[in-house]
């Protein structure tokens, strides 16, 4: 008699988000002209924030149109920080040159 199988737990959100970013790595690294990165990041930000809105993470029970000016300011700060971190995900030296000793130090 075999033991009943356990229900599969959903993947953690961080893992899902990292897979989302990794799935677009080839597209980013195919860009040769740095001025074209603007278009890549614009599309990335649109997809990211459509899927994981910052206001839902910060104020899950409040609809966007009911946020106070202070809450909207906090969301704006969080969005800017998230954009910066998303850009770092692709542009960090460790990710671009994983075997380069200078990138590790």
């Amino acid at each position: 008699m075999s033991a009943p199988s356990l229900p599969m737990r959903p993947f953690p959100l961080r893992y899902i988000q990292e897979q989302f970013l990794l799935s677009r790595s080839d597209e980013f690294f195919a860009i040769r002209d740095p001025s074209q990165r603007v278009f890549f990041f614009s599309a990335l930000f649109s997809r990211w924030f459509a899927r994981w809105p910052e206001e839902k993470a910060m104020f899950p029970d409040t609809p966007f149109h009911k946020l106070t000016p202070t809450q909207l300011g906090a969301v704006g700060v969080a969005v800017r920080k998230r954009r910066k971190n998303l850009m770092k995900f692709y542009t960090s030296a460790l990710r671009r040159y994983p075997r380069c000793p200078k990138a590790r130090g």
Side-chain angles (χ1 to χ4, degrees):
M1 186 186 274
S2 65
S5 62
L6 296 173
M8 200 165 153
R9 291 178 54 190
F11 289 112
L13 180 59
R14 184 179 178 116
Y15 175 81
I16 294 168
Q17 290 173 334
E18 186 174 3
Q19 293 305 308
F20 172 85
L21 295 174
L22 288 172
S23 72
R24 284 147 179 84
S25 289
D26 290 341
E27 183 183 347
F28 176 79
F29 290 118
I31 298 171
R32 295 290 170 223
D33 182 3
S35 67
Q36 297 300 307
R37 289 182 184 171
V38 173
F39 301 108
F40 170 81
F41 284 118
S42 177
L44 177 77
F45 296 154
S46 293
R47 287 185 229 137
W48 179 276
F49 292 118
R51 194 164 176 184
W52 299 291
E54 289 296 319
E55 65 273 9
K56 291 289 182 200
M58 296 175 72
F59 309 105
D61 298 329
T62 308
F64 185 77
H65 68 278
K66 293 202 176 190
L67 293 177
T68 66
T70 305
Q71 290 172 325
L72 288 172
V75 169
V77 169
V79 166
R80 284 191 293 279
K81 185 176 179 182
R82 176 74 64 194
R83 284 177 166 217
K84 185 177 176 182
N85 289 338
L86 290 172
M87 290 176 76
K88 276 186 186 177
F89 181 87
Y90 291 102
T91 59
S92 74
L94 266 177
R95 191 166 304 282
R96 290 187 69 86
Y97 311 105
R99 295 189 179 156
C100 177
K102 288 184 179 180
R104 293 189 193 123

